Amino acid sequence: MESELTQDFLELDLETLSQKSMAGDQESTYYLALRYVLMRNTQGYEDEGIDLLEKLSEQGYVKAMYQLGLRELKSSRNPLALERAKQYLRTAAAQDYDPAKYALAEHYQKYWTAIDQTREKEQALRKELGSKGDAYKWDFLLARATFWRDPEAAM
């Protein structure tokens, strides 16, 4: 089960998140990074948020890998960004992170099927997720709202 931070991270002040992050709390660092990314119009905050996500990803924090993968998908016209996106999402999916599996299934269907011949992968991921309900979709929608600037996704 997700911690209380999952639902309330927008209500926590940056100082509290920063203090918890400095103390080594990965979850607080993750939500601090998302807050910084959401402050994209403030000088330097978005870059700092991405840096935090990259550091967490290097530490194996699966949610950060997932967020970075979706962020790279936003740059889908760049083949290198697509490859990084797939790598982040595949790594997160390999750690049994359902939102990453969902994102891969969606993008295999929409974008990568012709390139990678991966229809079977998409179907296998969808079959696996079908037995787990919709719990994984909250993180997917949060990521869309964060990086894709999709106001309806946060609902």
Side-chain angles (χ1 to χ4, degrees):
M1 182 173 182
E2 295 287 322
S3 77
E4 293 177 16
L5 279 178
T6 301
Q7 299 297 327
D8 299 330
F9 86 97
L10 286 172
E11 295 175 15
L12 290 175
D13 63 275
L14 290 176
E15 185 176 332
T16 301
L17 284 173
S18 184
Q19 288 172 355
K20 289 181 177 186
S21 175
M22 297 279 281
D25 180 21
Q26 285 186 320
E27 186 176 34
S28 292
T29 303
Y30 172 73
Y31 289 114
L32 179 64
L34 292 183
R35 287 285 300 275
Y36 284 160
V37 169
L38 288 170
M39 296 169 61
R40 62 179 58 88
N41 294 330
T42 307
Q43 183 71 24
Y45 276 104
E46 184 173 15
D47 291 340
E48 188 170 343
I50 299 305
D51 289 345
L52 287 172
L53 287 174
E54 287 173 348
K55 287 176 186 172
L56 285 170
S57 176
E58 290 168 6
Q59 296 170 6
Y61 194 74
V62 70
K63 288 182 179 182
M65 291 177 209
Y66 169 71
Q67 290 284 350
L68 289 168
L70 289 183
R71 183 177 187 281
E72 294 292 344
L73 284 177
K74 179 181 155 189
S75 307
S76 62
R77 292 183 186 158
N78 178 344
L80 293 174
L82 280 175
E83 285 306 312
R84 284 191 303 267
K86 285 193 282 187
Q87 184 59 42
Y88 281 127
L89 292 172
R90 286 176 179 158
T91 302
Q95 293 183 39
D96 204 32
Y97 190 60
D98 290 339
K101 292 176 185 178
Y102 179 78
L104 281 172
E106 287 291 302
H107 285 85
Y108 279 138
Q109 178 184 16
K110 292 179 184 176
Y111 305 110
W112 298 326
T113 302
I115 298 169
D116 291 344
Q117 309 270 322
T118 54
R119 186 78 177 152
E120 298 81 26
K121 289 181 184 179
E122 175 212 339
Q123 291 171 345
L125 288 169
R126 286 184 185 281
K127 183 177 179 182
E128 180 180 344
L129 289 170
S131 65
K132 296 186 178 184
D134 290 340
Y136 60 90
K137 289 185 179 179
W138 192 88
D139 280 332
F140 180 75
L141 295 176
L142 173 63
R144 280 185 54 199
T146 303
F147 288 116
W148 294 346
R149 298 181 182 139
D150 183 352
E152 292 181 23
M155 303 198 173

